[in-house]
Amino acid sequence: MSIFEYNGSAVVAMVGKNCFAIASDRRLGVQLQTIATDFKRISKIHDRVFIGLSGLATDVQTLYQRLVFRHKLYQLREERDMKPETFASLVSAILYEKRFGPYLCQPVIAGLGDDDKPFICTMDSIGAKELAKDFVVSGTASESLYGACEAMYKPDMEAEELFETISQALLSSVDRDCLSGWGGHVYVVTPTEVKERILKGRMD
Amino acid sequence: MKSSHQPSQSWPLVAGLPGAQETIYSFFSPSFVTLSYFSFFFSLNPFSRFDYFKSLKMKLDTSGFETSMPMIGFGSSSDMLDGFSTVPSFDLPRTTDFDGFQKEAVQMVKPAKGTTTLAFIFKEGVMVAADSRASMGGYISSQSVKKIIEINPYMLGTMAGGAADCQFWHRNLGIKCRLHELANKRRISVSGASKLLANMLYSYRGMGLSVGTMIAGWDETGPGLYYVDNEGGRLKGDRFSVGSGSPYAYGVLDSGYKFDMTVAEASELARRSIYHATFRDGASGGVASVYHVGPKGWTKLSGDDVGELHYHYYPVAPATAEQVMEEAAAE
């Protein structure tokens, strides 16, 4: 198994009507053994930008801490929050700094930009940005996730329907992956509120 | 070194193998057509006394299946003799690089044994349990594999390792057990059945078979449990667990085991052990099946989906976090 599959992960983000949803699994494992079932992969940068990191768990935590640090500096200098497009460029630059010894994770960035327009993108471990209009996936279950999202996604879904769709896509995909699952963690973000939910999934 | 193999040579060569000479049982040389679940066997010895087998034959060209040397058991009773070999023979592949091919064959099955199976002996018989997940690397190929194989109505085998290997060799073992019954007018013992399987697997040592199985049954001496693996190893014991999830299953099994359990208590222990193994091990999951082998044969006791078992053992309490958020919004 490759180093990206050492801990196991699944992250997906979807775009709805003036809202977005980002979801991840909750397993932390060491190859086949499950160590924890409450590992946090999705973190808040500020109220309108979330980042989900898949891949090696230690790099997930370290990279998140570095990004929070950079965002706080930005807030002090600019006296405002970062736009999601800007944040994505920041992440891409930080990852490329380590081009010859990369962070072994693949981020999924989701945010609400100007005029509450949702923005999602994903990157590989050295910062190649991939923008999408509908959904992005990453992690060990990514192939299953592509299939499930492609089948279940519709454009312009409202927040509740988006929550249902992303949850079903996540749970059915991780049920086909030995290394991810054991529950789900979903954030649905609209211009007025952030709803965080834990999903009850198969614990095997 | 490379050598050219004649097309009709069969493997394994029975002559000279210490394991083969020790076996006293002599049988018809079975030639297996492994196309599906049905195996037909032939009597190749023209002096066979068991003529009714001819009624089972299909018209197939069997010249490739003939063994080079029929096996005669030493010192056994004459009605079992008739010069039949014990091992099914397979043709060697026609390659120039047989050693390289062998290496690839071993790697192909990759004896990873991603599964959890367990069996234990207690006062009322043998309890056998297994999960039902098949994984290929990280991908789950099936959540509904039957890993407990019914060899005959009073003997069970568990499957760990290569599915094809386990299914084939258990079926082969079932056939041998039936032949033994017909030849000796009584059932084979669990000890004898496991020895047959172990000797068979020993003769294929190094060829890349992946089999980690437990043979559980009830015979005249009472309950019997044997662990047999692809190295040809055979162990008698009261408690075994095989597969990648076995450490977790052992933890629960060993701490809850008592010899004087009822069938209900033992089946709950077995089910719980499998559940805990599926929780911790990524390569185990699906359905936890539990079988019981008693004096009258085996019965399937339960087949519970492990996803639901988790919430049965650990019901979800409503989280307080949601309530906190609602209060903040009301302010």
Side-chain angles (χ1 to χ4, degrees):
Chain A
M1 287 189 199
S2 85
I3 187 64
F4 287 103
E5 294 164 21
Y6 186 73
N7 292 127
S9 52
V11 182
V12 58
M14 269 192 194
V15 160
K17 197 171 164 74
N18 291 341
C19 64
F20 69 85
I22 183 167
S24 77
D25 73 319
R26 302 186 80 208
R27 178 182 181 266
L28 174 71
V30 168
Q31 292 185 323
L32 285 176
Q33 182 182 49
T34 305
I35 305 289
T37 56
D38 58 0
F39 187 68
K40 218 162 82 80
R41 281 202 171 83
I42 301 174
S43 319
K44 190 175 84 159
I45 300 294
H46 63 83
D47 278 330
R48 290 157 69 99
V49 169
F50 282 73
I51 181 165
L53 291 151
S54 68
L56 196 63
T58 175
D59 283 346
V60 163
Q61 292 177 329
T62 304
L63 187 60
Y64 167 65
Q65 286 161 7
R66 296 199 71 195
L67 291 169
V68 159
F69 168 70
R70 293 294 297 264
H71 181 255
K72 283 186 175 161
L73 269 183
Y74 183 93
Q75 275 181 324
L76 285 171
R77 288 182 182 141
E78 303 259 333
E79 291 177 358
R80 65 182 177 90
D81 290 332
M82 248 195 217
K83 283 193 250 190
E85 295 85 353
T86 319
F87 182 69
S89 299
L90 171 69
V91 178
S92 174
I94 286 180
L95 290 174
Y96 199 80
E97 271 171 17
K98 297 264 185 258
R99 170 65 174 81
F100 299 109
Y103 288 111
L104 297 159
C105 39
Q106 287 132 333
V108 164
I109 294 155
L112 282 176
D114 295 334
D115 299 326
D116 298 336
K117 196 164 168 315
F119 168 88
I120 52 172
C121 86
T122 185
M123 265 167 240
D124 69 356
S125 55
I126 46 174
K129 252 191 293 188
E130 186 208 307
L131 307 172
K133 292 202 175 72
D134 41 15
F135 57 84
V136 289
V137 306
S138 96
T140 51
S142 58
E143 282 148 359
S144 301
L145 276 166
Y146 273 125
C149 290
E150 195 69 60
M152 298 188 198
Y153 179 79
K154 299 197 306 279
D156 287 332
M157 283 187 278
E158 295 293 337
E160 280 309 310
E161 202 191 346
L162 185 64
F163 165 69
E164 286 296 328
T165 308
I166 201 174
S167 308
Q168 288 293 347
L170 180 72
L171 287 179
S172 56
S173 308
V174 301
D175 282 348
R176 275 289 176 183
D177 183 24
C178 298
L179 303 169
S180 55
W182 277 257
H185 205 146
V186 186
Y187 289 82
V188 181
V189 180
T190 59
T192 48
E193 62 175 359
V194 172
K195 262 209 174 120
E196 177 189 346
R197 291 181 179 97
I198 309 273
L199 297 176
K200 211 170 104 154
R202 286 184 68 96
M203 302 296 240
D204 65 353
Chain B
M1 294 304 288
K2 296 178 181 55
S3 54
S4 60
H5 300 278
Q6 295 144 20
S8 62
Q9 188 181 35
S10 340
W11 195 92
L13 295 175
V14 177
L17 273 181
Q21 284 189 338
E22 278 165 24
T23 50
I24 296 172
Y25 312 104
S26 309
F27 293 88
F28 301 102
S29 66
S31 312
F32 293 100
V33 178
T34 55
L35 295 169
S36 64
Y37 295 108
F38 308 103
S39 321
F40 294 89
F41 51 93
F42 299 83
S43 158
L44 291 181
N45 189 310
F47 304 113
S48 161
R49 284 198 244 160
F50 296 93
D51 286 354
Y52 57 85
F53 283 129
K54 285 191 183 139
S55 61
L56 290 171
K57 69 180 173 224
M58 295 188 331
K59 294 287 175 204
L60 279 187
D61 172 29
T62 57
S63 55
F65 285 95
E66 271 158 309
T67 51
S68 49
M69 179 165 164
M71 184 46 208
I72 299 173
F74 296 111
S76 57
S77 55
S78 61
D79 63 339
M80 287 210 293
L81 271 181
D82 289 310
F84 304 126
S85 76
T86 58
V87 289
S89 46
F90 295 100
D91 282 340
L92 282 174
R94 292 169 217 190
T95 64
T96 47
D97 176 21
F98 185 66
D99 295 323
F101 173 78
Q102 250 194 314
K103 281 205 183 72
E104 269 182 56
V106 172
Q107 272 308 296
M108 187 183 77
V109 181
K110 262 198 169 200
K113 304 205 181 112
T115 186
T116 310
T117 58
L118 60 87
F120 58 89
I121 292 180
F122 67 114
K123 188 179 66 172
E124 309 268 359
V126 195
M127 199 56 79
V128 183
D131 74 314
S132 70
R133 176 175 288 187
S135 48
M136 298 185 329
Y139 182 70
I140 298 175
S141 42
S142 171
Q143 290 268 58
S144 49
V145 175
K146 264 191 81 168
K147 294 192 187 176
I148 297 183
I149 298 163
E150 296 142 11
I151 298 170
N152 58 41
Y154 57 96
M155 219 185 304
L156 292 173
T158 59
M159 184 201 298
D165 290 334
C166 290
Q167 281 175 5
F168 177 82
W169 290 110
H170 279 122
R171 177 106 180 138
N172 183 295
L173 178 65
I175 289 170
K176 287 207 155 50
C177 293
R178 180 74 185 131
L179 285 173
H180 176 100
E181 269 181 44
L182 291 168
N184 295 275
K185 271 196 174 172
R186 63 182 218 169
R187 283 179 176 172
I188 193 170
S189 61
V190 184
S191 170
S194 60
K195 190 95 181 171
L196 281 178
L197 183 63
N199 287 339
M200 195 69 52
L201 294 175
Y202 180 80
S203 53
Y204 287 92
R205 225 175 115 103
M207 293 293 278
L209 286 184
S210 172
V211 171
T213 181
M214 295 179 284
I215 306 293
W218 188 290
D219 59 25
E220 292 163 351
T221 61
L225 178 62
Y226 287 82
Y227 164 74
V228 177
D229 70 18
N230 54 274
E231 311 275 304
R234 172 176 166 266
L235 296 174
K236 183 173 158 63
D238 314 319
R239 257 178 284 170
F240 286 111
S241 175
V242 181
S244 57
S246 61
Y248 315 111
Y250 270 129
V252 177
L253 180 59
D254 289 342
S255 57
Y257 177 82
K258 290 193 306 276
F259 183 75
D260 302 307
M261 283 190 283
T262 62
V263 173
E265 284 169 356
S267 89
E268 180 57 27
L269 177 66
R271 196 173 71 154
R272 217 178 174 125
S273 309
I274 295 287
Y275 156 72
H276 277 103
T278 60
F279 180 75
R280 282 288 170 183
D281 180 33
S284 305
V287 167
S289 330
V290 181
Y291 284 66
H292 171 243
V293 187
K296 295 198 179 64
W298 57 260
T299 41
K300 178 162 181 177
L301 293 180
S302 64
D304 299 295
D305 185 289
V306 153
E308 282 151 37
L309 267 188
H310 172 84
Y311 296 107
H312 169 69
Y313 290 135
Y314 302 104
V316 176
T320 51
E322 282 137 34
Q323 293 156 19
V324 169
M325 281 168 72
E326 280 170 23
E327 283 161 29
E331 279 170 45

